[in-house]
Amino acid sequence: MVSPQRAERIPLIALFFLCYVIKVQAVSYRERPESLAVREGQTVTLRCAFIGLTAQSVVIWEGPPNFNVMSTDRNVDSLYKRHRITGNSGRGEYSMEIKDVQVSDAGGYRCSTLGLQEKAEMMLDVIVPMKKAPKIIVSDISITAGQSLTLSCRTTEGSPLPTLTWFNGTTQVQQSNEELTDDRSIASLDLVLPELTRWDHGRNFTCVADQGHPELAPLTASSTMLNVKYSPVVRIRSQSIRASEGETLDLSCDVDSNPPATVTWRKLGGDIPTNAENRGGTLRLPTLDRTAAGVYQCQANNGIAPSGLGSATLTVQYPPHITSNFNRKTSPFVGQEAFSLLCEAEGYPEPRVRWRRKGTKLYFGKPYINTVSLKVSVRSGDTARLVCEILSDPLPEETRWLRRGPGQQDKPVTASQRPGIREEETTSPRGVTNTLVISHVGRSDGGVYVCETTNTFGTFQREFNMEVKDTNTQAVVIASITVIVLLILFATIFICIAKRTGLSAGVKREKATSSTLTASRALPPLPPYLNSRSVPAMDPDDMDGLELQDFNGTLKPRPPPRMDKQPYSIGLSYPSLMHPLPPYSTVERQRPDGEDNMVDSPYLEDPWETEDFMTPPALPPKDLPGKRIDSSVLC
């Protein structure tokens, strides 16, 4: 039976234990261990730190193999000579440092303490780079097109073992089969090529080994180039060749094969010219002659069936040559039905043999119509002329015109069909020109006409298409009236411009030749001594000493000078003045003590002395561009 005092202490102990458990359970990671990769021989630190550790807390490190206890608190087991605990214990740091890392150090690690709900684990990978590139093994060194081939890539280097990948050039090959042995000490990958072709020859296949950590172990690779043997393939650059006699020709035969093939030439149905030069893929034929023409064949053989063949046809061109011999003079009998002369010629291309009589430029044979314009357009009521120019030797025996009707039926065109149809024919050294003339053409005359000419050797025809257009009288009348109206209008405008131009020119000439400005108001009265009412008519004999002056194209007597007066001239007026003066007019004034001889002047008062008279503006400068002021003073 428990005493009352002890019974009172039991709740206190349970309370203290509960507080301790709660405090222990408050521990957590401040820095969790994380997986690392390190190269063999280096030093690595596995970091681990906690929050909430107490003096009673114990930190444990576990590691390979099978998570064996490596350290308790800061004490490392003696089996681990290269290991130690680093960090500040007061801050909860319990990191493990491993020097000179070995492959045996690779595996899983765990850092933990009491009270953690989950123990953090990490993986340490120790990388041992490959010292040698993977090895490629070819199943058959001598491989021929059409067969299959297996390429094997193997390696025992590195830790961990690398992943192998095949590449064709720079393209990854997807069809592969990776194999690992039971001890996982060998990595192997096979590439199977089911059927090779000549296009596989020279291909570069590469096996790449990757350990997954290129920063610690770079990629390594091995390559092999396929050597595929295949039969020759022949290609002739030109299967049909034309050359001229006397030239040098090279016949080329391009061969693709592995191994290289031996090329031989032959001529089908004959012998190769003796001066030919066999240069393997090229056969040179110097100084061609017509006997070299024929079919040439090149044959390539490299020991792999079938051999390659290629053919080319050579055509040698040479100028025509007449080979027949006949008497230079033939005398047929009069009345003889016919006689013949045989003319044989050779050449390539095959020559065309024609005869012509000496002294003429026309070949002996059937006629030919040389007319270029075969379409004639004529207005209704006009005359149509269809010209048929015939080249012929001998001259045509007959030339006639036909008109093509429905169903391609040709009917002769004769003068008896209707008035106005006739033929005109002229003869020249080259042949005959026959012209069909149709007067007063109507719409019914349009259509297709055929010129047909015949001589001893045959007949030749040429079609002419005549189109008859209607005459539009109304349009012609309207066009004529329009032209007449335009001509009258242009003539009127021209006359007006000419008059204006002549008037302006006359005014300019008058201003240029006159010594005084033209008055724009009435002229001053004549002096008393020239007044017809006070002075009797003068005898022409008495006017010998009278001085005349030109006044606007009229000769008038010049008044004698007045010695007792000193006149002055005013020659300006402005339209804006209250009493406007004539523009640029010249008037004659006397001084105030004299009498003004302008009795008929409309100005009774001196405008310069009129009350409220506006002072005229200053004269414009004489040197203004485009301005010209002509003034003069008459004394």
Side-chain angles (χ1 to χ4, degrees):
M1 187 174 183
V2 181
S3 63
Q5 293 82 5
R6 190 174 181 181
E8 291 178 358
R9 278 183 287 184
I10 289 176
L12 293 176
I13 293 174
L15 181 62
F16 281 118
F17 181 77
L18 181 62
C19 291
Y20 174 76
V21 172
I22 294 174
K23 190 172 183 179
V24 169
Q25 289 180 349
V27 177
S28 62
Y29 286 106
R30 183 161 60 86
E31 186 174 3
R32 298 173 66 92
E34 295 182 355
S35 297
L36 294 174
V38 63
R39 189 167 178 170
E40 184 183 32
Q42 295 180 343
T43 297
V44 66
T45 298
L46 311 181
R47 298 192 177 277
C48 182
F50 298 93
I51 299 175
L53 293 178
T54 65
Q56 292 78 20
S57 300
V58 177
V59 177
I60 300 174
W61 269 100
E62 301 169 285
N66 302 323
F67 290 102
N68 292 333
V69 177
M70 303 175 65
S71 67
T72 302
D73 229 8
R74 306 188 75 84
N75 301 318
V76 181
D77 193 287
S78 59
L79 296 176
Y80 303 97
K81 305 292 186 182
R82 297 173 287 106
H83 300 64
R84 71 186 183 94
I85 303 300
T86 62
N88 188 348
S89 302
R91 298 181 56 189
E93 297 174 353
Y94 289 85
S95 300
M96 178 172 283
E97 180 183 271
I98 306 174
K99 295 182 178 180
D100 189 18
V101 176
Q102 303 297 319
V103 176
S104 59
D105 295 329
Y109 287 81
R110 191 159 53 206
C111 173
S112 63
T113 185
L114 185 64
L116 290 175
Q117 295 181 354
E118 181 184 0
K119 296 180 180 181
E121 296 182 3
M122 62 159 289
M123 289 296 297
L124 177 63
D125 294 329
V126 179
I127 307 301
V128 180
M130 298 175 60
K131 296 180 181 179
K132 297 180 181 179
K135 184 179 181 181
I136 297 177
I137 302 173
V138 182
S139 60
D140 190 355
I141 298 177
S142 179
I143 189 69
T144 305
Q147 298 179 349
S148 62
L149 178 67
T150 300
L151 302 178
S152 298
C153 180
R154 296 182 180 181
T155 182
T156 58
E157 298 285 330
S159 178
L161 286 174
T163 301
L164 304 178
T165 307
W166 278 104
F167 286 87
N168 179 6
T170 59
T171 304
Q172 181 177 348
V173 180
Q174 300 297 331
Q175 296 179 353
S176 59
N177 182 23
E178 187 173 6
E179 297 179 357
L180 296 175
T181 60
D182 295 338
D183 58 4
R184 303 183 66 84
S185 61
I186 299 176
S188 177
L189 182 64
D190 292 342
L191 175 63
V192 179
L193 303 176
E195 184 177 0
L196 296 175
T197 65
R198 66 189 181 101
W199 306 111
D200 293 322
H201 176 66
R203 282 192 178 180
N204 187 17
F205 287 90
T206 304
C207 178
V208 178
D210 184 7
Q211 292 182 260
H213 299 278
E215 71 281 1
L216 300 175
L219 303 179
T220 58
S222 295
S223 298
T224 184
M225 185 175 292
L226 299 187
N227 183 16
V228 181
K229 297 179 180 180
Y230 54 94
S231 60
V233 178
V234 175
R235 184 179 68 89
I236 299 294
R237 299 181 186 178
S238 179
Q239 297 182 354
S240 179
I241 304 172
R242 286 192 176 188
S244 298
E245 196 173 32
E247 294 181 348
T248 297
L249 178 66
D250 289 337
L251 298 178
S252 297
C253 180
D254 297 332
V255 181
D256 178 21
S257 66
N258 184 41
T262 302
V263 180
T264 58
W265 289 87
R266 65 172 181 163
K267 182 181 179 183
L268 301 182
D271 297 330
I272 294 179
T274 55
N275 61 348
E277 303 173 10
N278 189 351
R279 301 181 178 182
T282 302
L283 178 66
R284 169 158 290 188
L285 302 175
T287 317
L288 286 174
D289 61 16
R290 62 196 67 180
T291 62
V295 179
Y296 289 80
Q297 188 178 77
C298 71
Q299 182 176 9
N301 192 349
N302 67 346
I304 301 176
S307 59
L309 293 174
S311 300
T313 301
L314 172 62
T315 301
V316 179
Q317 297 178 338
Y318 55 95
H321 173 69
I322 297 177
T323 59
S324 59
N325 295 320
F326 48 88
N327 297 329
R328 300 181 61 87
K329 185 176 181 181
T330 301
S331 302
F333 293 101
V334 176
Q336 184 178 343
E337 292 185 359
F339 74 96
S340 63
L341 296 175
L342 178 63
C343 179
E344 295 180 340
E346 63 176 2
Y348 191 87
E350 183 179 351
R352 176 188 176 188
V353 178
R354 293 184 294 177
W355 289 84
R356 67 182 177 90
R357 289 188 289 183
K358 188 177 181 179
T360 65
K361 296 182 179 180
L362 295 178
Y363 288 102
F364 218 52
K366 73 177 184 178
Y368 175 77
I369 297 177
N370 195 39
T371 302
V372 177
S373 178
L374 304 178
K375 186 174 182 179
V376 178
S377 180
V378 62
R379 290 189 177 277
S380 178
D382 293 347
T383 299
R385 302 178 67 88
L386 306 181
V387 181
C388 183
E389 183 181 353
I390 305 168
L391 305 180
S392 176
D393 188 14
L395 293 176
E397 299 173 358
E398 180 186 10
T399 300
R400 63 174 184 164
W401 286 90
L402 307 173
R403 185 174 181 183
R404 183 152 296 168
Q408 299 294 318
Q409 294 181 357
D410 297 338
K411 295 182 178 181
V413 178
T414 60
S416 61
Q417 290 181 353
R418 77 169 181 86
I421 297 179
R422 68 180 187 277
E423 291 185 31
E424 298 176 355
E425 187 170 285
T426 59
T427 303
S428 66
R430 298 185 60 187
V432 175
T433 300
N434 188 291
T435 304
L436 177 63
V437 182
I438 304 176
S439 303
H440 306 290
V441 174
R443 296 198 59 177
S444 60
D445 295 323
V448 176
Y449 291 80
V450 178
C451 178
E452 180 183 272
T453 180
T454 304
N455 69 0
T456 305
F457 295 97
T459 301
F460 191 88
Q461 289 184 342
R462 182 77 77 186
E463 293 182 359
F464 293 78
N465 189 359
M466 186 174 71
E467 179 184 5
V468 180
K469 297 182 179 180
D470 292 335
T471 304
N472 195 340
T473 307
Q474 184 177 1
V476 173
V477 172
I478 294 175
S480 302
I481 294 175
T482 303
V483 171
I484 294 173
V485 171
L486 290 176
L487 290 176
I488 294 174
L489 180 60
F490 289 153
T492 304
I493 295 174
F494 178 77
I495 294 173
C496 294
I497 294 175
K499 287 185 176 182
R500 285 182 170 271
T501 305
L503 181 59
S504 300
V507 172
K508 291 181 180 179
R509 273 195 309 272
E510 181 180 344
K511 288 185 177 180
T513 56
S514 176
S515 61
T516 61
L517 293 177
T518 303
S520 59
R521 60 179 180 176
L523 294 174
L526 292 174
Y529 60 85
L530 291 179
N531 195 325
S532 58
R533 289 175 294 180
S534 60
V535 180
M538 290 187 176
D539 187 16
D541 298 332
D542 297 334
M543 298 178 64
D544 294 337
L546 183 63
E547 183 180 358
L548 300 179
Q549 66 176 353
D550 184 6
F551 189 82
N552 288 340
T554 304
L555 291 177
K556 295 184 178 181
R558 181 186 298 277
R562 291 172 290 179
M563 304 303 296
D564 58 336
K565 305 292 182 180
Q566 295 184 1
Y568 65 93
S569 299
I570 299 174
L572 298 175
S573 67
Y574 299 88
S576 61
L577 299 180
M578 182 181 300
H579 302 283
L581 290 175
Y584 293 97
S585 61
T586 302
V587 299
E588 190 173 290
R589 292 282 187 176
Q590 295 181 359
R591 291 184 178 275
D593 56 351
E595 182 181 356
D596 190 356
N597 59 0
M598 292 181 61
V599 179
D600 298 333
S601 174
Y603 298 95
L604 301 179
E605 298 180 356
D606 192 341
W608 307 113
E609 297 179 359
T610 304
E611 193 172 345
D612 299 329
F613 185 77
M614 183 182 297
T615 305
L619 291 175
K622 296 181 179 181
D623 57 348
L624 281 178
K627 302 288 186 177
R628 181 176 178 182
I629 301 175
D630 295 328
S631 62
S632 63
V633 177
L634 178 61
C635 299

